[in-house]
Amino acid sequence: MSVSDSILPGKVPAHVAVIMDGNGRWAQMRDLPRQQGHMEGVKAVRRIAKAACKIGIRYLTLYAFSTENWGRPKEEVSALMALLVSCLHDEMPLFMDNGIRLRVIGQADVFLPEVRAALDAALEKTAGNTRMDLVLALSYSARWELIECAKNLARLAKAGQLDPETIDGSVIGNSLTTSFMPDPDLLIRTSGEYRISNFLLWQIAYSELFFSPVLWPDFTEEMFYAAIADYQKRDRRFGKISSSKTMLSTIKE
Ligand code: FPP
């Protein structure tokens, strides 16, 4: 029996976010250039996107390039950008055959025109797909996003279009780049690191966390399904008490 058979169809997380870590180490362990690790990472993206679609995940958000990643050696940044462009082209059949709509969160205006053009074309081509949104976090960091949100709300308040007293969680949530989707139910990080690395800090307030020791290029469908099955066993309380306890106290009353 495969792990996917143990997944409960009624309890599939609507939104899974992934910190795809370990490409560099995967390559270094094989005496290969780091770029080779990123190329293997693309194969894992393909596997996991298909697997997510198969079990009915509605949003899959991938941390593909952080604001901080601009500080990597120039050759690695250029290789990642080239890989992104080729990936957007080569993976189009995957997107179209599986009903995947591509979305981007992050500071889009900092990309070179050819990268921007490839992104815009892919966003437009897949805009009508409705099965799953594949959200690429590109030049993204949570602190950047929160600073932008604060600036936008301050501008509205200054212009008299927003009463600061009305700012609540939903006003903030609706001002973030992720406003079109629910918060992640599950956040997966590969490669044995136990960090959030400036990813979706507001949105993961009540997400379940799953850390895998496996490097991203080696992360398989079965490992992804195992993370989902593990999530399905968890009791999500959102700061309240579990529903079973509520039932128990009701019975006692
Ligand atoms: C982290 O591994 C991975 C990245 C910084 C880039 C992720 C990119 C891909 C998986 C390529 C495919 C995605 C697109 C959109 C083209 P790392 O380099 O930090 O690994 P390390 O921690 O072992 O050094």
Side-chain angles (χ1 to χ4, degrees), residues 4 52 56 63 68 83 85-86 90 96 101 111 116 118 121 124 136 139 144 159 183 195 198-199 216 226 230 234 245:
S4 64
Y63 205 4
E68 290 74 23
L83 194 59
V85 172
S86 64
D90 299 347
M96 301 315 285
R101 175 176 185 174
F111 288 101
R116 188 62 259 176
E124 200 185 308
L136 295 181
S139 195
W144 162 80
D183 289 342
R195 284 191 293 278
N198 215 349
F199 190 42
W216 176 250
D230 185 87
R234 301 193 191 179
K245 282 193 185 125

Side-chain angles (χ1 to χ4, degrees), residues 88 92 102 114-127:
L88 291 170
M92 198 46 72
L102 201 73
E114 58 266 34
V115 178
R116 188 62 259 176
L119 279 170
D120 288 343
L123 295 177
E124 200 185 308
K125 268 188 209 151
T126 61

Side-chain angles (χ1 to χ4, degrees), residues 157-187:
K158 196 176 167 191
Q161 290 164 10
L162 174 73
D163 174 0
E165 296 310 319
T166 63
I167 297 177
D168 59 9
S170 69
V171 171
I172 305 270
N174 288 329
S175 311
L176 298 174
T177 59
T178 50
S179 60
F180 60 91
M181 59 182 168
D183 289 342
D185 300 292
L186 173 65
L187 171 70

Side-chain angles (χ1 to χ4, degrees), residues 3 6 69 71 105 159:
V3 194
S6 64
N69 287 156
I105 55 169

Side-chain angles (χ1 to χ4, degrees), residues 19-28 34 37-45 62-66 69 72 76 79-88 136-138 189 191 193 195 215-217:
I19 302 176
M20 313 181 284
D21 196 16
N23 295 350
R25 274 164 285 165
W26 185 93
Q28 277 161 354
R34 292 176 56 83
H38 297 312
M39 285 164 77
E40 280 301 310
V42 172
K43 292 184 193 166
V45 169
L62 303 178
Y63 205 4
F65 193 85
S66 72
N69 287 156
R72 290 193 176 200
E76 185 171 345
L80 272 167
M81 291 302 130
L83 194 59
L84 174 61
V85 172
S86 64
C87 174
L88 291 170
L136 295 181
L138 289 169
R189 181 173 189 144
S191 93
E193 305 286 0
R195 284 191 293 278
L215 302 177
W216 176 250

